[in-house]
Amino acid sequence: MNLYYNYDKSCFSLKEDGNSKKVFETHSHEGFYGPETIEEGRFKVEIHTNIYPKKPQKEFLRANIFVGGVKLLPVSESIRIPVTQIHFNLHEISFTQYGAGNNIGKEPSTIFLRKDLDWYSFLKSICVVSEQPEKWQKRQFDLLLAKLEEHENFKRTPALVGKLLEIYAPYAGLIGTGIYSKLRQYCISTMRVLLDKMETEKLDDSWLKNGDFVWRCIKEINQEIGHANK
């Protein structure tokens, strides 16, 4: 099975239509293999495989897709709530992809297929992401925000709001700052929490880091309001 890059549509495809070029061919190399790097148009794709019939639980196909140097990620998987405590960071994506105990030291991938390897599904996923990468990444953040909003303490917890803004920061140039307006009420609430805490104690670096991201968001929203009123 082959993967093509369609220059007319500026995306990857499973079909050799129009002005296209074969950029990848599936294989059955055993053991860890790659990366096989594809650079076409504005995309850079790195494909790693671990085909290991003797231990199928260790097998995977993974792809990292970069657009303008930014790695697209399924950030909706960055939140996990095993009981009541919220675990929220990019490492949780690796936890989901590799499984508990196998994720230590592993970076999250754009696309990850584990067990029952299916080349068609894997390559099709690359094509789907490449068709509208900004829309795909934006939807991932919308799904993440919806998960966070299910928890009442999100809107008044600087660590959660700050972490969301920190994860979002590298993508602002790619998908815009539209999410900031959705976070307005949460930024105001968490900033009040931070200011109240400052009155009674010295804030450590983690609190200050969260505060920086929250304040940047508030300034961005204020600028947008200013432009809208002109």
Side-chain angles (χ1 to χ4, degrees):
M1 183 177 298
N2 300 324
L3 179 69
Y4 301 90
Y5 184 77
N6 189 306
Y7 293 98
D8 295 328
K9 298 179 179 179
S10 300
C11 65
F12 294 97
S13 173
L14 296 181
K15 296 180 180 180
E16 190 177 9
D17 293 334
N19 184 19
S20 60
K21 167 187 172 183
K22 185 175 81 170
V23 294
F24 181 80
E25 184 175 347
T26 59
H27 60 78
S28 57
H29 297 297
E30 288 195 20
F32 187 76
Y33 188 79
E36 293 184 80
T37 303
I38 305 164
E39 295 190 60
E40 295 290 346
R42 58 183 179 144
F43 296 100
K44 176 181 176 182
V45 181
E46 296 174 343
I47 297 176
H48 291 84
T49 63
N50 190 34
I51 300 173
Y52 200 1
K54 292 182 180 179
K55 292 186 178 181
Q57 70 276 15
K58 298 286 187 180
E59 293 187 312
F60 64 77
L61 304 175
R62 77 183 185 203
N64 289 320
I65 302 177
F66 298 84
V67 176
V70 178
K71 181 165 70 170
L72 306 182
L73 284 175
V75 294
S76 62
E77 298 174 8
S78 62
I79 181 172
R80 180 171 59 92
I81 309 171
V83 184
T84 56
Q85 182 180 1
I86 296 176
H87 296 264
F88 180 30
N89 53 63
L90 292 181
H91 183 67
E92 294 304 324
I93 301 175
S94 301
F95 183 94
T96 300
Q97 292 178 338
Y98 289 91
N102 297 316
N103 60 312
I104 298 174
K106 301 291 196 307
E107 293 291 327
S109 299
T110 312
I111 298 168
F112 193 95
L113 187 62
R114 183 163 59 104
K115 301 179 182 179
D116 301 323
L117 305 186
D118 180 351
W119 275 111
Y120 175 81
S121 295
F122 179 71
L123 296 182
K124 182 63 176 177
S125 294
I126 294 176
C127 296
V128 169
V129 173
S130 74
E131 289 170 0
Q132 293 181 308
E134 290 89 353
K135 186 175 181 179
W136 182 88
Q137 188 64 69
K138 182 179 181 299
R139 175 165 172 73
Q140 283 296 314
F141 275 105
D142 288 342
L143 290 171
L144 173 58
L145 179 57
K147 288 182 178 181
L148 287 166
E149 287 179 325
E150 292 177 358
H151 303 279
E152 178 63 24
N153 62 344
F154 167 63
K155 64 183 179 182
R156 57 177 181 273
T157 306
L160 296 178
V161 177
K163 175 58 68 175
L164 173 57
L165 290 166
E166 180 182 5
I167 291 174
Y168 190 85
Y171 298 95
L174 180 67
I175 59 178
T177 57
I179 196 174
Y180 291 167
S181 60
K182 299 178 181 179
L183 296 177
R184 182 177 183 275
Q185 59 175 314
Y186 307 127
C187 286
I188 293 173
S189 297
T190 53
M191 184 55 68
R192 285 172 178 157
V193 171
L194 286 165
L195 292 173
D196 288 344
K197 190 175 180 64
M198 285 181 63
E199 290 185 348
T200 59
E201 60 186 281
K202 180 181 178 180
L203 301 184
D204 61 27
D205 289 344
S206 63
W207 281 84
L208 292 174
K209 182 180 180 181
N210 292 326
D212 283 343
F213 281 106
V214 171
W215 182 240
R216 288 180 208 170
C217 182
I218 291 174
K219 288 194 295 183
E220 182 69 30
I221 295 169
N222 189 59
Q223 289 176 0
E224 291 178 358
I225 293 173
H227 291 317
N229 291 333
K230 287 183 179 180

